[in-house]
Amino acid sequence: MTQTLPDIQKTIVIDAPIEKVWSKVATAEGIAAWFMPNDFEPVLGHEFQLQAGPFGNSQCKVTELEPPHRLSFKWDKDWIITFELAEKDGQTEFTLTHGGWSVEEKTSFGEDHSVVRDRMSGGWTGILSKLAAQFGA
């Protein structure tokens, strides 16, 4: 039986209406500005690539799309990324969930999930700061 590791979950509040935040998390240009260059399209089932620098291009596929509240995509062979947006008094609560971690698995670039998960947890904090900065935060 596969032993899973906890999902990474990060929540921030962005001082912008939900539609503006959605445009930064559900368009290729928006995602490139704070995360990675890509050829994303907001279409259910769309296959796209994240350009992960030294790790090469990662294959992805849109698995859920509920504008402007939820977007999920499969990232590489193991992971599911989910963006959830909720309007809160003119601001947007943005929650990122990075799931699909397993004790026994290695990433496509050969590192143990347990090592990469810890690194990515810290990495997401910085990445979400870059997202918030898109709105002057």
Side-chain angles (χ1 to χ4, degrees), residues 19-53:
E19 294 82 12
K20 286 190 176 187
V21 177
W22 182 255
S23 74
K24 291 291 186 180
V25 303
T27 64
E29 302 79 20
I31 293 168
W34 61 276
F35 186 33
M36 291 181 194
N38 64 87
D39 60 352
F40 173 85
E41 290 181 24
V43 176
L44 192 62
H46 176 68
E47 294 183 10
F48 65 101
Q49 291 186 344
L50 290 173
Q51 297 168 16

mmCIF file of all heavy atoms in Angstrom, residues 19-53:
data_model
loop_
_atom_site.group_PDB
_atom_site.id
_atom_site.type_symbol
_atom_site.label_atom_id
_atom_site.label_comp_id
_atom_site.label_asym_id
_atom_site.label_seq_id
_atom_site.Cartn_x
_atom_site.Cartn_y
_atom_site.Cartn_z
ATOM 1 N N GLU A 19 -12.199 38.456 -10.127
ATOM 2 C CA GLU A 19 -12.002 38.386 -11.575
ATOM 3 C C GLU A 19 -10.576 38.758 -11.963
ATOM 4 O O GLU A 19 -10.004 38.171 -12.886
ATOM 5 C CB GLU A 19 -13.000 39.288 -12.318
ATOM 6 C CG GLU A 19 -14.442 38.839 -12.188
ATOM 7 C CD GLU A 19 -15.104 39.280 -10.880
ATOM 8 O OE1 GLU A 19 -14.542 40.132 -10.138
ATOM 9 O OE2 GLU A 19 -16.189 38.743 -10.568
ATOM 10 N N LYS A 20 -10.005 39.761 -11.282
ATOM 11 C CA LYS A 20 -8.615 40.160 -11.577
ATOM 12 C C LYS A 20 -7.634 39.074 -11.165
ATOM 13 O O LYS A 20 -6.661 38.802 -11.870
ATOM 14 C CB LYS A 20 -8.273 41.487 -10.893
ATOM 15 C CG LYS A 20 -8.919 42.664 -11.556
ATOM 16 C CD LYS A 20 -8.382 43.963 -11.015
ATOM 17 C CE LYS A 20 -9.000 45.112 -11.787
ATOM 18 N NZ LYS A 20 -8.398 46.387 -11.424
ATOM 19 N N VAL A 21 -7.868 38.447 -10.028
ATOM 20 C CA VAL A 21 -6.980 37.362 -9.586
ATOM 21 C C VAL A 21 -7.121 36.183 -10.543
ATOM 22 O O VAL A 21 -6.116 35.595 -10.959
ATOM 23 C CB VAL A 21 -7.272 36.954 -8.123
ATOM 24 C CG1 VAL A 21 -6.383 35.788 -7.711
ATOM 25 C CG2 VAL A 21 -7.070 38.148 -7.185
ATOM 26 N N TRP A 22 -8.346 35.862 -10.941
ATOM 27 C CA TRP A 22 -8.562 34.756 -11.882
ATOM 28 C C TRP A 22 -7.751 34.981 -13.159
ATOM 29 O O TRP A 22 -7.160 34.062 -13.697
ATOM 30 C CB TRP A 22 -10.050 34.607 -12.178
ATOM 31 C CG TRP A 22 -10.353 33.470 -13.093
ATOM 32 C CD1 TRP A 22 -10.696 33.546 -14.419
ATOM 33 C CD2 TRP A 22 -10.337 32.071 -12.779
ATOM 34 N NE1 TRP A 22 -10.888 32.295 -14.938
ATOM 35 C CE2 TRP A 22 -10.677 31.364 -13.952
ATOM 36 C CE3 TRP A 22 -10.073 31.346 -11.622
ATOM 37 C CZ2 TRP A 22 -10.757 29.979 -14.012
ATOM 38 C CZ3 TRP A 22 -10.162 29.955 -11.669
ATOM 39 C CH2 TRP A 22 -10.492 29.287 -12.852
ATOM 40 N N SER A 23 -7.684 36.218 -13.630
ATOM 41 C CA SER A 23 -6.951 36.499 -14.871
ATOM 42 C C SER A 23 -5.459 36.254 -14.707
ATOM 43 O O SER A 23 -4.764 36.014 -15.695
ATOM 44 C CB SER A 23 -7.216 37.923 -15.357
ATOM 45 O OG SER A 23 -6.542 38.868 -14.550
ATOM 46 N N LYS A 24 -4.972 36.275 -13.485
ATOM 47 C CA LYS A 24 -3.543 36.014 -13.229
ATOM 48 C C LYS A 24 -3.252 34.551 -12.953
ATOM 49 O O LYS A 24 -2.102 34.131 -12.998
ATOM 50 C CB LYS A 24 -3.047 36.848 -12.038
ATOM 51 C CG LYS A 24 -2.978 38.324 -12.306
ATOM 52 C CD LYS A 24 -1.882 38.641 -13.297
ATOM 53 C CE LYS A 24 -1.721 40.139 -13.461
ATOM 54 N NZ LYS A 24 -0.673 40.464 -14.424
ATOM 55 N N VAL A 25 -4.275 33.764 -12.648
ATOM 56 C CA VAL A 25 -4.033 32.350 -12.327
ATOM 57 C C VAL A 25 -4.637 31.394 -13.356
ATOM 58 O O VAL A 25 -4.417 30.189 -13.260
ATOM 59 C CB VAL A 25 -4.518 31.980 -10.901
ATOM 60 C CG1 VAL A 25 -3.852 32.869 -9.865
ATOM 61 C CG2 VAL A 25 -6.034 32.032 -10.769
ATOM 62 N N ALA A 26 -5.359 31.939 -14.341
ATOM 63 C CA ALA A 26 -6.016 31.065 -15.311
ATOM 64 C C ALA A 26 -5.791 31.534 -16.752
ATOM 65 O O ALA A 26 -6.636 31.305 -17.612
ATOM 66 C CB ALA A 26 -7.504 30.964 -14.998
ATOM 67 N N THR A 27 -4.645 32.198 -16.987
ATOM 68 C CA THR A 27 -4.215 32.552 -18.343
ATOM 69 C C THR A 27 -2.726 32.259 -18.445
ATOM 70 O O THR A 27 -1.995 32.307 -17.440
ATOM 71 C CB THR A 27 -4.445 34.041 -18.664
ATOM 72 O OG1 THR A 27 -3.637 34.838 -17.795
ATOM 73 C CG2 THR A 27 -5.915 34.431 -18.537
ATOM 74 N N ALA A 28 -2.267 31.958 -19.653
ATOM 75 C CA ALA A 28 -0.839 31.671 -19.846
ATOM 76 C C ALA A 28 0.025 32.858 -19.432
ATOM 77 O O ALA A 28 1.025 32.699 -18.723
ATOM 78 C CB ALA A 28 -0.565 31.294 -21.308
ATOM 79 N N GLU A 29 -0.378 34.072 -19.846
ATOM 80 C CA GLU A 29 0.402 35.268 -19.513
ATOM 81 C C GLU A 29 0.413 35.518 -18.010
ATOM 82 O O GLU A 29 1.446 35.860 -17.430
ATOM 83 C CB GLU A 29 -0.166 36.497 -20.229
ATOM 84 C CG GLU A 29 -0.207 36.392 -21.731
ATOM 85 C CD GLU A 29 -1.386 35.561 -22.269
ATOM 86 O OE1 GLU A 29 -2.414 35.352 -21.560
ATOM 87 O OE2 GLU A 29 -1.265 35.066 -23.405
ATOM 88 N N GLY A 30 -0.753 35.358 -17.383
ATOM 89 C CA GLY A 30 -0.843 35.573 -15.941
ATOM 90 C C GLY A 30 0.029 34.603 -15.166
ATOM 91 O O GLY A 30 0.791 34.997 -14.285
ATOM 92 N N ILE A 31 -0.043 33.313 -15.505
ATOM 93 C CA ILE A 31 0.744 32.294 -14.808
ATOM 94 C C ILE A 31 2.241 32.524 -15.027
ATOM 95 O O ILE A 31 3.049 32.375 -14.105
ATOM 96 C CB ILE A 31 0.321 30.884 -15.264
ATOM 97 C CG1 ILE A 31 -1.111 30.586 -14.814
ATOM 98 C CG2 ILE A 31 1.283 29.816 -14.725
ATOM 99 C CD1 ILE A 31 -1.729 29.342 -15.450
ATOM 100 N N ALA A 32 2.625 32.933 -16.229
ATOM 101 C CA ALA A 32 4.042 33.181 -16.528
ATOM 102 C C ALA A 32 4.600 34.319 -15.681
ATOM 103 O O ALA A 32 5.782 34.315 -15.319
ATOM 104 C CB ALA A 32 4.229 33.481 -18.011
ATOM 105 N N ALA A 33 3.765 35.292 -15.331
ATOM 106 C CA ALA A 33 4.226 36.458 -14.583
ATOM 107 C C ALA A 33 4.631 36.133 -13.147
ATOM 108 O O ALA A 33 5.467 36.826 -12.563
ATOM 109 C CB ALA A 33 3.141 37.538 -14.584
ATOM 110 N N TRP A 34 4.071 35.073 -12.573
ATOM 111 C CA TRP A 34 4.382 34.775 -11.169
ATOM 112 C C TRP A 34 4.866 33.351 -10.932
ATOM 113 O O TRP A 34 5.409 33.051 -9.862
ATOM 114 C CB TRP A 34 3.174 35.065 -10.272
ATOM 115 C CG TRP A 34 1.953 34.253 -10.580
ATOM 116 C CD1 TRP A 34 1.013 34.530 -11.520
ATOM 117 C CD2 TRP A 34 1.539 33.024 -9.958
ATOM 118 N NE1 TRP A 34 0.042 33.544 -11.525
ATOM 119 C CE2 TRP A 34 0.335 32.617 -10.576
ATOM 120 C CE3 TRP A 34 2.070 32.229 -8.935
ATOM 121 C CZ2 TRP A 34 -0.347 31.463 -10.209
ATOM 122 C CZ3 TRP A 34 1.385 31.084 -8.570
ATOM 123 C CH2 TRP A 34 0.199 30.712 -9.202
ATOM 124 N N PHE A 35 4.707 32.455 -11.910
ATOM 125 C CA PHE A 35 5.061 31.053 -11.695
ATOM 126 C C PHE A 35 6.090 30.586 -12.720
ATOM 127 O O PHE A 35 7.287 30.657 -12.460
ATOM 128 C CB PHE A 35 3.783 30.205 -11.706
ATOM 129 C CG PHE A 35 3.976 28.750 -11.358
ATOM 130 C CD1 PHE A 35 4.947 28.343 -10.459
ATOM 131 C CD2 PHE A 35 3.157 27.787 -11.921
ATOM 132 C CE1 PHE A 35 5.117 26.990 -10.144
ATOM 133 C CE2 PHE A 35 3.311 26.436 -11.616
ATOM 134 C CZ PHE A 35 4.293 26.054 -10.729
ATOM 135 N N MET A 36 5.653 30.117 -13.882
ATOM 136 C CA MET A 36 6.569 29.604 -14.902
ATOM 137 C C MET A 36 6.023 29.914 -16.290
ATOM 138 O O MET A 36 4.804 29.927 -16.482
ATOM 139 C CB MET A 36 6.704 28.077 -14.817
ATOM 140 C CG MET A 36 7.406 27.549 -13.623
ATOM 141 S SD MET A 36 7.468 25.729 -13.735
ATOM 142 C CE MET A 36 7.951 25.344 -12.058
ATOM 143 N N PRO A 37 6.905 30.090 -17.275
ATOM 144 C CA PRO A 37 6.432 30.182 -18.656
ATOM 145 C C PRO A 37 5.666 28.908 -19.015
ATOM 146 O O PRO A 37 5.968 27.827 -18.494
ATOM 147 C CB PRO A 37 7.724 30.289 -19.474
ATOM 148 C CG PRO A 37 8.758 30.761 -18.502
ATOM 149 C CD PRO A 37 8.355 30.206 -17.160
ATOM 150 N N ASN A 38 4.661 29.048 -19.901
ATOM 151 C CA ASN A 38 3.763 27.929 -20.161
ATOM 152 C C ASN A 38 2.973 28.173 -21.430
ATOM 153 O O ASN A 38 2.989 29.275 -21.976
ATOM 154 C CB ASN A 38 2.808 27.778 -18.977
ATOM 155 C CG ASN A 38 1.934 29.000 -18.839
ATOM 156 O OD1 ASN A 38 0.881 29.086 -19.462
ATOM 157 N ND2 ASN A 38 2.367 29.989 -18.057
ATOM 158 N N ASP A 39 2.253 27.150 -21.866
ATOM 159 C CA ASP A 39 1.304 27.313 -22.968
ATOM 160 C C ASP A 39 -0.099 26.870 -22.517
ATOM 161 O O ASP A 39 -0.841 26.231 -23.236
ATOM 162 C CB ASP A 39 1.770 26.590 -24.232
ATOM 163 C CG ASP A 39 1.956 25.088 -24.044
ATOM 164 O OD1 ASP A 39 1.868 24.591 -22.897
ATOM 165 O OD2 ASP A 39 2.188 24.403 -25.047
ATOM 166 N N PHE A 40 -0.443 27.285 -21.307
ATOM 167 C CA PHE A 40 -1.733 26.990 -20.687
ATOM 168 C C PHE A 40 -2.882 27.626 -21.474
ATOM 169 O O PHE A 40 -2.750 28.718 -22.013
ATOM 170 C CB PHE A 40 -1.741 27.540 -19.248
ATOM 171 C CG PHE A 40 -3.075 27.446 -18.566
ATOM 172 C CD1 PHE A 40 -3.457 26.289 -17.918
ATOM 173 C CD2 PHE A 40 -3.956 28.516 -18.583
ATOM 174 C CE1 PHE A 40 -4.696 26.192 -17.297
ATOM 175 C CE2 PHE A 40 -5.192 28.434 -17.958
ATOM 176 C CZ PHE A 40 -5.556 27.264 -17.320
ATOM 177 N N GLU A 41 -4.006 26.945 -21.514
ATOM 178 C CA GLU A 41 -5.271 27.508 -21.976
ATOM 179 C C GLU A 41 -6.351 27.056 -21.012
ATOM 180 O O GLU A 41 -6.356 25.891 -20.592
ATOM 181 C CB GLU A 41 -5.615 27.028 -23.387
ATOM 182 C CG GLU A 41 -4.722 27.603 -24.466
ATOM 183 C CD GLU A 41 -5.108 27.125 -25.850
ATOM 184 O OE1 GLU A 41 -6.279 26.735 -26.067
ATOM 185 O OE2 GLU A 41 -4.223 27.135 -26.723
ATOM 186 N N PRO A 42 -7.271 27.962 -20.634
ATOM 187 C CA PRO A 42 -8.324 27.601 -19.684
ATOM 188 C C PRO A 42 -9.435 26.785 -20.349
ATOM 189 O O PRO A 42 -10.556 27.240 -20.521
ATOM 190 C CB PRO A 42 -8.820 28.967 -19.198
ATOM 191 C CG PRO A 42 -8.568 29.880 -20.349
ATOM 192 C CD PRO A 42 -7.316 29.376 -21.003
ATOM 193 N N VAL A 43 -9.068 25.551 -20.705
ATOM 194 C CA VAL A 43 -9.987 24.639 -21.384
ATOM 195 C C VAL A 43 -9.866 23.273 -20.704
ATOM 196 O O VAL A 43 -8.753 22.731 -20.592
ATOM 197 C CB VAL A 43 -9.643 24.512 -22.887
ATOM 198 C CG1 VAL A 43 -10.531 23.483 -23.563
ATOM 199 C CG2 VAL A 43 -9.732 25.869 -23.580
ATOM 200 N N LEU A 44 -10.978 22.736 -20.238
ATOM 201 C CA LEU A 44 -10.970 21.429 -19.588
ATOM 202 C C LEU A 44 -10.361 20.388 -20.529
ATOM 203 O O LEU A 44 -10.729 20.315 -21.700
ATOM 204 C CB LEU A 44 -12.395 21.031 -19.196
ATOM 205 C CG LEU A 44 -12.536 19.832 -18.272
ATOM 206 C CD1 LEU A 44 -11.852 20.101 -16.929
ATOM 207 C CD2 LEU A 44 -14.004 19.522 -18.035
ATOM 208 N N GLY A 45 -9.381 19.630 -20.037
ATOM 209 C CA GLY A 45 -8.711 18.602 -20.826
ATOM 210 C C GLY A 45 -7.515 19.115 -21.623
ATOM 211 O O GLY A 45 -6.785 18.312 -22.212
ATOM 212 N N HIS A 46 -7.286 20.440 -21.629
ATOM 213 C CA HIS A 46 -6.158 20.995 -22.390
ATOM 214 C C HIS A 46 -4.836 20.488 -21.823
ATOM 215 O O HIS A 46 -4.609 20.520 -20.620
ATOM 216 C CB HIS A 46 -6.176 22.530 -22.347
ATOM 217 C CG HIS A 46 -5.006 23.159 -23.028
ATOM 218 N ND1 HIS A 46 -4.823 23.107 -24.386
ATOM 219 C CD2 HIS A 46 -3.951 23.846 -22.533
ATOM 220 C CE1 HIS A 46 -3.708 23.737 -24.703
ATOM 221 N NE2 HIS A 46 -3.166 24.195 -23.588
ATOM 222 N N GLU A 47 -3.970 20.002 -22.705
ATOM 223 C CA GLU A 47 -2.632 19.574 -22.315
ATOM 224 C C GLU A 47 -1.670 20.711 -22.613
ATOM 225 O O GLU A 47 -1.733 21.323 -23.688
ATOM 226 C CB GLU A 47 -2.248 18.302 -23.063
ATOM 227 C CG GLU A 47 -3.137 17.133 -22.649
ATOM 228 C CD GLU A 47 -2.760 15.818 -23.305
ATOM 229 O OE1 GLU A 47 -1.699 15.740 -23.948
ATOM 230 O OE2 GLU A 47 -3.546 14.860 -23.145
ATOM 231 N N PHE A 48 -0.819 21.011 -21.626
ATOM 232 C CA PHE A 48 0.108 22.126 -21.774
ATOM 233 C C PHE A 48 1.420 21.789 -21.075
ATOM 234 O O PHE A 48 1.548 20.744 -20.452
ATOM 235 C CB PHE A 48 -0.500 23.423 -21.222
ATOM 236 C CG PHE A 48 -0.765 23.428 -19.731
ATOM 237 C CD1 PHE A 48 0.099 24.061 -18.853
ATOM 238 C CD2 PHE A 48 -1.890 22.811 -19.203
ATOM 239 C CE1 PHE A 48 -0.153 24.083 -17.484
ATOM 240 C CE2 PHE A 48 -2.159 22.822 -17.835
ATOM 241 C CZ PHE A 48 -1.276 23.463 -16.981
ATOM 242 N N GLN A 49 2.389 22.692 -21.230
ATOM 243 C CA GLN A 49 3.689 22.487 -20.600
ATOM 244 C C GLN A 49 4.027 23.675 -19.712
ATOM 245 O O GLN A 49 3.756 24.825 -20.074
ATOM 246 C CB GLN A 49 4.793 22.343 -21.651
ATOM 247 C CG GLN A 49 4.699 21.070 -22.435
ATOM 248 C CD GLN A 49 5.887 20.899 -23.374
ATOM 249 O OE1 GLN A 49 6.629 21.833 -23.665
ATOM 250 N NE2 GLN A 49 6.081 19.687 -23.842
ATOM 251 N N LEU A 50 4.615 23.358 -18.555
ATOM 252 C CA LEU A 50 5.267 24.353 -17.722
ATOM 253 C C LEU A 50 6.757 24.249 -18.027
ATOM 254 O O LEU A 50 7.312 23.150 -18.038
ATOM 255 C CB LEU A 50 5.031 24.077 -16.235
ATOM 256 C CG LEU A 50 3.623 24.303 -15.702
ATOM 257 C CD1 LEU A 50 3.531 23.826 -14.264
ATOM 258 C CD2 LEU A 50 3.234 25.776 -15.795
ATOM 259 N N GLN A 51 7.386 25.380 -18.282
ATOM 260 C CA GLN A 51 8.817 25.391 -18.565
ATOM 261 C C GLN A 51 9.549 25.557 -17.239
ATOM 262 O O GLN A 51 9.657 26.656 -16.711
ATOM 263 C CB GLN A 51 9.142 26.497 -19.555
ATOM 264 C CG GLN A 51 8.462 26.278 -20.893
ATOM 265 C CD GLN A 51 8.529 27.486 -21.801
ATOM 266 O OE1 GLN A 51 9.310 28.399 -21.590
ATOM 267 N NE2 GLN A 51 7.685 27.493 -22.814
ATOM 268 N N ALA A 52 10.034 24.432 -16.709
ATOM 269 C CA ALA A 52 10.582 24.367 -15.353
ATOM 270 C C ALA A 52 12.091 24.570 -15.306
ATOM 271 O O ALA A 52 12.789 23.948 -14.511
ATOM 272 C CB ALA A 52 10.193 23.041 -14.714
ATOM 273 N N GLY A 53 12.610 25.447 -16.151
ATOM 274 C CA GLY A 53 14.023 25.797 -16.113
ATOM 275 C C GLY A 53 14.930 24.586 -16.222
ATOM 276 O O GLY A 53 14.809 23.802 -17.161
#
